[in-house]
Amino acid sequence: MAVEPMSEKAGTRGSQKSSVVPSAERSLVDVGLSRNATVPVTLSPGTRVTVKLPEDAKTSKRRNDPILGSAVAPSQPREEAGYYWGYNVRSASSLSAVITECAYPDGYDLTVGTSERGSPISNLTHPTPDQSTVPEFSHMLVVFGGVAGLEAAFQADAELQKMGVKEPKELFDYWINLCPGQGSRTIRTEEAVWLGLMGLRDLVLSKGRK
């Protein structure tokens, strides 16, 4: 079954599709349209692949033949056209590993920890004249804790204890409270993620390097 990007509706014919290879005999790819596509590479069945379709895919009269596409990097739709193209998952064994096992060669150049004991998010997004402004960044890391907060993850990280780190906020460039005056004892992690993404959106758009 093809996995459609969230920015496109099923049945539409965009120039790129996120797809799954259903057959080992050929690189025949289900792209979620009325006909499959082929790509000039050998892929194993069940492989997810991003396929770039030709410009005439929607106007071609060869309705019974597979579309001749090409396999491209999953990052291409985002980098070339600005499409949302899903996300990747990285498993980390500890809080410190979240930061040290960064996939980018130069690491994260802006790190944000979240806590109800942090500074109001407005200090980060709308600093006053006496507060420092956030520099431009290429790779931003925002870390959310569980119900017990990042403090619990910090206490469970033996490596940080060996390094003499005294508080979790020392690990981050900014230590912020996403919802000052929240009015409840805890905020669920899935709620905090939405609050964080919405609250930091303008900062990402204004300071994030394209």
Side-chain angles (χ1 to χ4, degrees), residues 16 18 27 53 111 118 148 178 192:
Q16 302 184 75
S18 185
S27 291
L53 303 178
T111 58
L178 297 173

Side-chain angles (χ1 to χ4, degrees), residues 16-46:
Q16 302 184 75
K17 297 287 184 181
S18 185
S19 319
V20 172
V21 180
S23 172
E25 296 179 2
R26 303 170 57 192
S27 291
L28 187 67
V29 185
D30 180 352
V31 292
L33 300 179
S34 59
R35 55 186 176 140
N36 291 331
T38 59
V39 292
V41 292
T42 301
L43 300 168
S44 301

Side-chain angles (χ1 to χ4, degrees), residues 46-81:
T47 301
R48 179 169 175 168
V49 59
T50 298
V51 179
K52 184 172 185 178
L53 303 178
E55 293 296 332
D56 64 349
K58 63 172 62 177
T59 59
S60 175
K61 296 181 180 179
R62 303 174 65 180
R63 299 297 182 187
N64 297 323
D65 296 335
I67 304 169
L68 300 179
S70 57
V72 298
S75 60
Q76 184 171 316
R78 173 178 55 81
E79 294 174 350
E80 293 189 0

Side-chain angles (χ1 to χ4, degrees), residues 122-172:
S122 58
N123 290 1
L124 187 64
T125 57
H126 300 89
T128 59
D130 61 331
Q131 294 172 335
S132 61
T133 59
V134 177
E136 289 189 348
F137 57 87
S138 297
H139 302 294
M140 178 182 186
L141 173 70
V142 184
V143 183
F144 304 87
V147 174
L150 286 177
E151 291 81 359
F154 169 75
Q155 291 296 333
D157 194 324
E159 289 300 318
L160 293 177
Q161 309 306 317
K162 293 177 182 177
M163 294 170 59
V165 181
K166 293 181 172 55
E167 297 181 274
K169 65 180 181 181
E170 297 176 23
L171 302 172
F172 304 97

